[in-house]
């Protein structure tokens, strides 16, 4: 569902009437959260608005090259905007310590988002679940308002699109998105640099973690999985949370319908990362173990040893991979 | 260097004057070889030409879904075209057993290619080293000639573009390529299916080859490399030529400027696959060992044992990675 022209007109009418505008994105920000925040922020500054950009957590290192990244505030103290625009956030709580500001009756709030779970908490909700990313939606907003792109804005927005689509690899990439990406490049956004610095880049220590974990990789009945014991992670010196996205690599195996990585970050409990090909559902499996997520990407934290947890989760994954689709 | 309109006009004049047209691509065909072959073949049939498509080797399984894939001939016997168009082939020998036909004085030959090493063996050489792929060049040709795209043609051409650019991840992706890809999708080419079936898909046996090879991965002075001994490939049962694209994974490591995979497919010689980040040049290194290729993607076959060849090639790679860029 594309957003109608009249709704964009209303968006620009509200923006036009405001002087001080606060833009807020969700906590634990990804590339789309930061890209849409900074891209819209730069565009509104360009038309003379007093803009602040804000996020509960710091901008991750890999997005600090983006213009405006160093100006993102982490605290709501002293912020009293005429208008607040929440980006990429399905509900106020996703913005962490900015939820109070969003819920304040004195502040007009607009929600710009592509999550189908958006609760419609804004005065105006510009929610398009068919958009690849909130950054794509910001581009739609700028084009609807007749605002020109420049290199800085285009770089922010293309970063959001690239990171949310794994560089055009997700099923929701449309012809229109490719045309928009072409226009962003024409405005100066460096596609190769953005991809090389985000979705196509892993650190050497991640490669070594993968190497160790792949020694025990197994494929049975359409389920591919690997384990990352605590000792493995320690021996390599890998101290980041997460599986280093090994589960993405596993799901790229043609014979796999469902992929899992079981990793131990602390003794006594196992983090389970699950991914599925379109047609399968790992959110339901994650929920059985108290976890959650999307249909194709979910996870859970399960008490027990690696062997115990694998033995409990694997039969459910195999049952899912056996389903007729 | 884009190909000038007059040159395309001359191309279409020669095509227009011919009735029986043979299209030939290079041996050991990749997605661009097959995509450009079949895409141009379908387009020429559509305008009433009698077309045969040919390749020294069979169409690889992963490209057999392309329309026309089952009609590709592997032998030049009995072929006597008015016009032969060599696709994606830098010299006649790249077409294997079709080289004789290309060199025959009775047959007019056109070369459509994006390799900078193209020797200019055609009566007319439509060579654009700035094109991402020969499939992109075929699209340029069709647009210059005013031929419409349809779903079949678009699917072939987008497959060539996707495989040669790793789905838009290479440095030579231009705004214009994204716009073309958008038009191919608009004509019906299924981008997600193409990506999922080609560049985003590896077989389980490839993952196990990577797993074994990664056990010996090394990173020194900006050069990352791994080896695939004959015994390793045999123990896994890996019988395909090539390194299973491990070299792409290696170059995705943030700390690497140059990546190499040394593999032994036959005793006594080592296949060296080289990749570089923009600014570095591995074609020059490949040429030192009698190989060739593009600046950022090159290779060579070097006599000797794995240890010997690594010892000879590595210092040149390290010198390259040390260059100021």
């Amino acid at each position: 569902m594309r957003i109608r022209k009249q709704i964009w007109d209303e968006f620009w009418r509200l923006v036009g009437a405001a002087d001080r505008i606060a833009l807020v994105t969700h906590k634990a920000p990804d590339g789309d959260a930061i890209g849409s925040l900074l891209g819209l922020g730069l565009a509104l500054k360009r038309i003379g608005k007093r803009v602040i950009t804000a996020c509960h957590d710091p901008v991750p290192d890999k997005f600090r090259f983006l213009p405006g990244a160093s100006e993102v505030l982490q605290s709501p103290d002293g912020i009293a905007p005429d208008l607040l625009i929440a980006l990429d956030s399905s509900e106020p709580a996703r913005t962490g310590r900015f939820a109070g500001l969003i819920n304040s009756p004195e502040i007009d709030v607009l929600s710009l988002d592509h999550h189908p779970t958006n609760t419609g908490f804004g005065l105006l909700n510009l929610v398009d679940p068919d958009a690849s990313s909130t950054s794509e939606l910001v581009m739609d907003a700028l084009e609807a308002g007749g605002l020109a792109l420049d290199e800085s804005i285009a770089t922010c927005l293309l970063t959001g699109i690239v990171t949310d689509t794994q560089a055009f690899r997700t099923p929701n990439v449309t012809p229109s998105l490719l045309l928009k990406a072409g226009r962003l490049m024409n405005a100066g956004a460096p596609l190769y640099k953005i991809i090389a610095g985000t979705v196509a880049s892993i650190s050497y220590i991640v490669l070594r973690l993968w190497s160790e974990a792949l020694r025990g990789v197994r494929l049975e009945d359409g389920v591919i999985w690997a384990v990352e014991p605590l000792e493995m992670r320690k021996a390599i010196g890998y101290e980041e949370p997460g599986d280093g996205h090994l589960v993405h690599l596993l799901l790229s195996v043609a014979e796999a319908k469902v992929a899992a990585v079981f990793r131990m970050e602390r003794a006594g409990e196992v983090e389970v990362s699950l991914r599925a090909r379109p047609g399968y559902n790992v959110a339901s499996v994650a929920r059985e173990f108290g976890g959650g997520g999307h249909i194709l990407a979910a996870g859970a934290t399960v008490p027990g040893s690696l062997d115990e947890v694998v033995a409990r989760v694997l039969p459910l994954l195999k049952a899912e991979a056996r389903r007729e689709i």
Side-chain angles (χ1 to χ4, degrees), chain A:
Chain A
M1 181 203 70
R2 308 266 83 174
I3 289 169
R4 292 197 319 277
K5 180 74 171 74
Q6 300 97 298
I7 309 289
W8 285 126
D9 289 346
E10 180 64 8
F11 172 83
W12 285 109
R13 198 187 60 75
L14 291 165
V15 167
D19 175 34
R20 292 162 309 157
I21 302 179
L23 305 184
V24 178
T25 195
H26 64 77
K27 58 186 179 179
D30 54 17
D32 188 32
I34 299 296
S36 61
L37 178 78
L38 298 178
L40 184 57
L42 290 165
L44 296 184
K45 276 182 196 162
R46 190 92 5 116
I47 58 169
K49 300 298 173 186
R50 290 197 282 168
V51 176
I52 67 137
T53 54
C55 180
H56 181 99
D57 294 302
V59 175
D61 283 348
K62 65 167 67 165
F63 305 122
R64 297 206 67 91
F65 76 97
L66 290 174
S70 60
E71 292 158 33
V72 177
L73 304 179
Q74 285 175 250
S75 160
D77 296 350
I79 300 183
D82 306 325
L83 185 69
L84 185 151
I85 305 178
L87 291 151
D88 204 36
S89 303
S90 55
E91 51 181 332
R94 288 287 290 135
T95 66
R97 67 177 74 92
F98 295 90
L101 217 53
I102 292 177
N103 291 326
S104 150
E106 287 98 66
I107 300 176
D108 283 347
V109 172
L110 310 184
S111 168
L112 207 66
D113 188 21
H114 73 125
H115 291 94
T117 49
N118 188 288
T119 59
F121 58 88
L123 170 67
L124 192 66
N125 299 286
L126 302 115
V127 179
D128 180 359
D130 292 334
S132 67
S133 53
T134 297
S135 296
E136 182 183 1
L137 212 48
V138 169
M139 186 162 172
D140 291 347
L142 300 186
E143 295 192 332
L147 276 71
L149 296 169
D150 66 14
E151 182 179 333
S152 297
I153 296 169
T155 299
C156 294
L157 299 184
L158 192 57
T159 297
I161 290 169
V162 161
T163 52
D164 252 28
T165 62
Q166 294 167 56
F168 313 113
R169 291 191 178 198
T170 50
N172 59 353
V173 172
T174 57
S176 137
L177 181 69
L178 290 180
L179 300 177
K180 286 175 196 167
R183 293 202 292 278
L184 291 170
M185 279 189 88
N186 265 330
L191 177 67
Y192 175 78
K193 182 185 161 192
I194 291 169
I195 294 179
T198 58
V199 295
S201 176
I202 60 173
S203 62
Y204 187 54
I205 196 166
V206 166
L207 185 74
R208 289 197 296 128
L209 180 68
W210 287 7
S211 165
E212 287 299 315
L214 285 176
R215 293 168 73 157
V217 69
R218 298 278 296 276
L219 172 71
E220 287 177 13
D221 306 336
V223 179
I224 189 164
W225 76 97
V227 300
E228 296 177 359
L230 200 53
E231 317 82 71
M232 179 190 289
R233 296 168 67 96
K234 278 190 178 162
I236 294 167
Y238 190 78
E239 290 173 351
E240 301 285 309
D243 71 342
H245 299 296
L246 177 60
V247 73
H248 286 158
L249 176 65
L250 296 188
L251 194 66
S252 74
V253 168
E255 295 90 338
K257 292 162 180 157
V258 170
V261 172
F262 300 87
R263 68 184 190 276
M264 197 162 246
E265 295 185 7
R266 286 164 301 281
E269 63 180 32
V270 175
E271 303 287 337
V272 186
S273 297
L274 302 173
R275 293 292 184 280
R277 289 195 187 273
Y280 299 91
N281 180 349
V282 286
S284 58
V285 176
R287 274 196 298 272
E288 290 285 323
F289 296 93
H294 303 277
I295 290 174
L296 303 183
T301 304
V302 186
S305 72
L306 270 172
D307 285 349
E308 288 162 2
V309 174
V310 171
R312 287 178 61 200
V313 176
L314 203 55
L316 279 73
L317 294 177
K318 288 186 177 178
E320 184 58 31
R322 266 197 304 271
R323 281 201 310 120
E324 291 286 335
I325 63 164

